[in-house]
Amino acid sequence: MNDEFAQELARMAQVLHEQPDVEQTAERFLEFVLPRIGTVHASLLLVHRGGRLESATATDALVEEADRVQIETGEGPSFSVVQDEQSVVSGDVPGDPRWPRWSVGIAGVGLRSVLSVRLRTPTTTVGVLNLYDGATDRFGPGDDVIAQVFADHAAVAVSNARSESTLWQAIDARKLIGQAQGILMERFDLSDEQAFAVLRRYSQDNNVKLRDVAQRLIATRKLS
């Protein structure tokens, strides 16, 4: 790795660390990796428990469609990366037999080549970087190496952004539930525990998240 490349990776790490959320972290990451690979089509998918994938960012509508079909069909290069824990490359996506439903689903999109690599930490796969191109046989071993180096350096930043986002969501949910409890306590002269039990029972009986129940009560002053 030459000095210029090392400096670029260090600069990227600093920039990603400064981003306020997962989406902007992913967007800035693509800004660094795309010029090095020489393509303009890319995305980052987040990996959730059980192998479920969720889009964090995509460069354009073509990529959004390619990723949407992956998620809907449950197959494609991103799923292969997660399952096999190694990079995947295809130089002719519409004719690739590994993912028949995905290949058929994006046949008209116009993306012919894909390179997918893991964003990995020592303990888990955080996400998948997908690089697409309209030309066949666009990506080679050198692209794989470069993309993986970028992905390894970005994985920690993306993981941290996800953890912080989850923390703030949890804090926000607790605030909402506390406000909803206060409304019930004042209106029906309930204790803190009784008010929470009412919210929880409504959540369970109606199959609605507790946070959403609280938000509805705060907005409408009614549970139903």
Side-chain angles (χ1 to χ4, degrees), residues 2-133:
N2 59 39
D3 290 344
E4 181 185 353
F5 192 20
Q7 291 172 5
E8 184 176 5
L9 292 172
R11 185 165 63 252
M12 181 187 74
Q14 181 177 2
V15 170
L16 297 188
H17 178 71
E18 295 171 349
Q19 301 312 304
D21 55 39
V22 177
E23 182 178 352
Q24 292 187 56
T25 302
E27 289 175 355
R28 295 306 304 272
F29 168 54
L30 294 187
E31 290 176 7
F32 279 92
V33 70
L34 285 172
R36 275 285 180 173
I37 301 298
T39 188
V40 296
H41 304 291
S43 68
L44 194 150
L45 297 180
L46 300 176
V47 180
H48 293 279
R49 187 173 300 174
R52 183 175 65 87
L53 298 181
E54 176 192 17
S55 176
T57 189
T59 54
D60 53 76
L62 299 181
V63 175
E64 288 178 354
E65 178 65 10
D67 287 346
R68 182 190 67 80
V69 177
Q70 279 201 86
I71 293 171
E72 287 190 356
T73 61
E75 68 174 36
S78 296
F79 284 98
S80 295
V81 166
V82 174
Q83 292 163 5
D84 300 335
E85 296 189 348
Q86 60 184 7
S87 300
V88 169
V89 64
S90 177
D92 184 18
V93 167
D96 199 312
R98 289 176 290 182
W99 318 292
R101 289 180 297 167
W102 183 65
S103 298
V104 169
I106 69 163
V109 172
L111 298 173
R112 306 285 302 197
S113 297
V114 62
L115 168 62
S116 299
V117 301
R118 284 200 302 154
L119 273 73
R120 60 196 181 188
T121 68
T123 58
T124 189
T125 299
V126 177
V128 180
L129 166 65
N130 296 303
L131 299 163
Y132 295 96
D133 202 273

Side-chain angles (χ1 to χ4, degrees), residues 110-173:
L111 298 173
R112 306 285 302 197
S113 297
V114 62
L115 168 62
S116 299
V117 301
R118 284 200 302 154
L119 273 73
R120 60 196 181 188
T121 68
T123 58
T124 189
T125 299
V126 177
V128 180
L129 166 65
N130 296 303
L131 299 163
Y132 295 96
D133 202 273
T136 56
D137 298 317
R138 170 61 182 79
F139 304 112
D143 297 313
D144 185 1
V145 171
I146 293 173
Q148 189 64 70
V149 171
F150 272 101
D152 286 345
H153 280 72
V156 173
V158 172
S159 180
N160 288 342
R162 287 182 69 181
S163 298
E164 187 168 340
S165 176
T166 300
L167 173 63
W168 282 111
Q169 288 174 8
I171 292 172
D172 186 42

